[in-house]
Amino acid sequence: MHGEYKVPGGKLVVVDFEVDEGKIVDFRLSGDFFLEPDEALLDINAAVEGMNPNSTIEDFANAIRQALPSEVHLLGFTPDSVGVAIRRGVTGAAHWRDYDWQIVREPAVTPMLNAALDEVLTAAVGEGLRGPTLRIWEWNEPAVIIGSFQSVKNEVDEEAAAEHNATLVRRISGGGAMYMEPEASITYALYIPGELVRGMSFADSYAYLDDWVLEALKSLGIDAVYKPLNDITSPLGKIGGAAQKRLGSGAILHHVTMAYDMDPTAMTSVLRIGREKLSDKGTASAQKRVDPLKSQTGKTREEIVERMIEVFQRRHGGVMGEVTEGEWDAAERLVEQKFSTEEWLRRVP
């Protein structure tokens, strides 16, 4: 068996092994990581040898930690990442380059249609009607987009939203509320089969799916890092946040919104951001929580999006594609039947 795991912000971990009578045998760890002393590699191999291949990531990591000498340095990987690589090998996880990716960037549409399109394209991947896809959102009006389980009255000042002509949209993924204006945010969505993150914990999958974005931001001079569970941040402040929805078919929607040039006054007037949440983020005011990409890079929104696509293609491949007529029709029907209805919008009043 063969398993690979690219540690977000770190190195590639590769494992090769066989399974004989319910035990791991001939285990070999390799990769482009750094490890001192050299002999610790043999300690890791010996720790995993003979373990049950169905052990958890934590079980593998604990066995490795116990086997390592007290003076050891692991750079670019951890015992947990070895466990992830093993689980990916056992479960037959796929890799980014196993797929023919499409990259989609359509003309601007309403935020509600964008949200519906996320559901339609994720379902299409799950049904085998579309290959894995990266889509850049473009929208033509302001919106307040809330998570699937959020309360409207607790999160949104609807009078202030109306003053800013912002449409209320409830997405199918969890997570927090966002105030979005055209050209002031960058939102992208990945529609993927579950095999791409098989063997990972839910938390690990977030950072794994956004690692290419961190590379793109770093190439623009931003010291971007991932802060669990779902934040992309920098020393100057939070940049954006991710959310996921996993369908019964196994397909996964993973989407991210990053601040490009947000209006903090408008954001804090439209969103009811409680003091408890601000305290949890370690900030004194909501206006300091999000630091736009424009101020950190001096680049236009278009330049940043182009860099993102360039890095994605270099790392994972992909050709420019489009949303099909049938997918547009399905999304429009979904807006009418679900996303625009009071039943959906106020499922949590």
Side-chain angles (χ1 to χ4, degrees):
M1 293 184 176
H2 178 85
E4 295 184 6
Y5 178 53
K6 171 62 172 63
V7 180
K11 299 297 184 178
L12 180 66
V13 177
V14 181
V15 296
D16 292 281
F17 57 94
E18 303 294 335
V19 175
D20 183 29
E21 297 184 352
K23 295 183 178 181
I24 293 176
V25 297
D26 298 328
F27 181 82
R28 299 177 304 282
L29 171 66
S30 60
D32 60 356
F33 50 77
F34 300 92
L35 178 63
E36 295 290 346
D38 288 357
E39 294 76 16
L41 182 64
L42 301 179
D43 294 326
I44 294 175
N45 290 342
V48 177
E49 190 78 13
M51 290 189 69
N52 186 325
N54 295 317
S55 299
T56 66
I57 294 172
E58 184 178 16
D59 289 338
F60 288 121
N62 286 337
I64 291 169
R65 289 190 185 96
Q66 292 173 10
L68 288 174
S70 57
E71 293 297 324
V72 64
H73 301 281
L74 288 71
L75 301 178
F77 80 116
T78 65
D80 295 87
S81 59
V82 178
V84 172
I86 296 170
R87 291 300 306 156
R88 286 175 62 77
V90 170
T91 58
H95 304 283
W96 293 89
R97 286 281 182 173
D98 290 341
Y99 302 109
D100 295 323
W101 287 85
Q102 273 198 36
I103 300 171
V104 174
R105 192 179 184 195
E106 297 282 4
V109 296
T110 66
M112 198 169 283
L113 186 55
N114 268 311
L117 198 56
D118 272 357
E119 181 170 344
V120 167
L121 296 184
T122 308
V125 170
E127 294 167 7
L129 302 176
R130 162 178 288 276
T133 301
L134 163 67
R135 182 172 76 93
I136 308 296
W137 274 40
E138 299 293 351
W139 60 98
N140 55 17
E141 62 187 26
V144 181
I145 300 186
I146 61 175
S148 179
F149 311 107
Q150 288 189 296
S151 161
V152 176
K153 67 179 181 180
N154 288 343
E155 299 293 336
V156 184
D157 184 328
E158 293 193 75
E159 290 186 5
E163 291 175 1
H164 288 86
N165 297 313
T167 302
L168 176 65
V169 179
R170 184 184 293 275
R171 61 182 186 268
I172 64 171
S173 63
M178 304 175 295
Y179 173 64
M180 301 166 56
E181 296 176 305
E183 301 302 317
S185 303
I186 297 175
T187 297
Y188 66 87
L190 290 168
Y191 317 107
I192 63 170
E195 288 82 2
L196 184 59
V197 294
R198 184 175 289 170
M200 295 183 197
S201 69
F202 195 85
D204 286 337
S205 72
Y206 272 82
Y208 181 75
L209 293 175
D210 289 331
D211 195 46
W212 63 277
V213 179
L214 298 187
E215 180 180 334
L217 295 178
K218 288 176 180 177
S219 74
L220 293 168
I222 299 175
D223 185 16
V225 297
Y226 216 83
K227 181 180 179 181
L229 169 68
N230 62 335
D231 284 350
I232 297 175
T233 188
S234 76
L236 297 181
K238 178 179 173 180
I239 294 170
Q244 285 187 11
K245 175 64 178 179
R246 302 191 176 206
L247 303 186
S249 63
I252 299 173
L253 163 64
H254 177 93
H255 47 192
V256 173
T257 292
M258 299 186 293
Y260 173 68
D261 189 23
M262 283 189 171
D263 179 348
T265 303
M267 181 184 72
T268 53
S269 68
V270 171
L271 300 182
R272 299 185 188 278
I273 303 176
R275 292 183 178 180
E276 182 177 346
K277 186 171 183 179
L278 293 176
S279 175
D280 179 60
K281 297 292 183 180
T283 56
S285 85
Q287 297 185 14
K288 296 179 181 178
R289 289 188 57 219
V290 180
D291 193 77
L293 296 172
K294 182 178 180 180
S295 66
Q296 292 205 42
T297 67
K299 302 287 186 181
T300 65
R301 181 179 182 276
E302 183 65 24
E303 288 174 316
I304 294 174
V305 171
E306 288 179 354
R307 179 64 59 85
M308 289 168 57
I309 293 174
E310 173 190 324
V311 170
F312 187 92
Q313 289 180 310
R314 184 173 69 246
R315 286 184 59 157
H316 306 313
V319 297
M320 300 306 296
E322 60 184 16
V323 176
T324 68
E325 184 175 345
E327 291 166 339
W328 280 121
D329 290 342
E332 289 169 355
R333 287 195 301 272
L334 204 55
V335 168
E336 180 180 352
Q337 298 169 4
K338 176 179 178 179
F339 283 90
S340 65
T341 67
E342 289 295 296
E343 181 181 9
W344 171 253
L345 286 171
R346 302 185 189 280
R347 63 184 296 226
V348 184

